[in-house]
Amino acid sequence: QVQLVESGGALVQAGGSLRLSCAVSGRTFGTYVMGWFCQAPGKEREFVAAITWSGGSTGYADSVKGRFSISRDNAENTVYLQMNSLKPEDTAVYYCAVSKGRVHYLPQHTDEYDYWGQGTQVSVSS
């Protein structure tokens, strides 16, 4: 079993920054891609960013390119999402997720991920 715990969500003003963290524990054998998704009220969960095991490849949703940055520390089993220039439309619950057994491919669909955290709330005021 794999457990993911997100932290770092908060209420911030537009233009501000946040850094989300996701700690991974449990039976995390082998390589895995880490991803971040967000879900606003009344909307489906959608892809935000993903990073390969080595950290050498990253992918982002168009809406966050140039503002958000994903990184990981495999020694600490932690993935981060640096969020800059936040906008009110970024308000959502943010989830991290693990996609097992992948090396280079960066999945962007929820059904391609095997484990999920409980989420952390990010609220951006105008």
Side-chain angles (χ1 to χ4, degrees), residues 65-82:
K65 282 181 181 177
R67 300 188 299 123
F68 291 10
S69 177
I70 188 171
S71 61
R72 68 190 292 170
D73 182 340
N74 289 339
E76 297 293 329
N77 287 332
T78 301
V79 64
Y80 304 96
L81 184 68
Q82 178 66 43

Side-chain angles (χ1 to χ4, degrees), residues 72-108:
R72 68 190 292 170
D73 182 340
N74 289 339
E76 297 293 329
N77 287 332
T78 301
V79 64
Y80 304 96
L81 184 68
Q82 178 66 43
M83 311 167 71
N84 298 327
S85 302
L86 282 160
K87 305 175 181 179
E89 51 264 44
D90 294 321
T91 295
V93 177
Y94 283 74
Y95 300 88
C96 65
V98 165
S99 181
K100 297 186 304 182
R102 303 188 187 274
V103 178
H104 302 298
Y105 171 64
L106 291 171
Q108 298 189 14

Side-chain angles (χ1 to χ4, degrees), residues 48-63:
V48 175
I51 186 168
T52 54
W53 169 260
S54 68
S57 182
T58 57
Y60 298 91
D62 289 342
S63 60

Side-chain angles (χ1 to χ4, degrees), residues 5-84:
V5 179
E6 302 96 335
S7 61
L11 171 63
V12 297
Q13 291 187 331
S17 298
L18 281 175
R19 188 192 196 202
L20 306 184
S21 299
C22 174
V24 183
S25 62
R27 300 174 67 85
T28 56
F29 300 125
T31 62
Y32 53 93
V33 164
M34 293 295 303
W36 284 97
F37 287 74
C38 69
Q39 188 167 19
K43 294 187 176 181
E44 293 187 351
R45 194 169 298 188
E46 59 184 32
F47 173 76
V48 175
I51 186 168
T52 54
W53 169 260
S54 68
S57 182
T58 57
Y60 298 91
D62 289 342
S63 60
V64 306
K65 282 181 181 177
R67 300 188 299 123
F68 291 10
S69 177
I70 188 171
S71 61
R72 68 190 292 170
D73 182 340
N74 289 339
E76 297 293 329
N77 287 332
T78 301
V79 64
Y80 304 96
L81 184 68
Q82 178 66 43
M83 311 167 71
N84 298 327

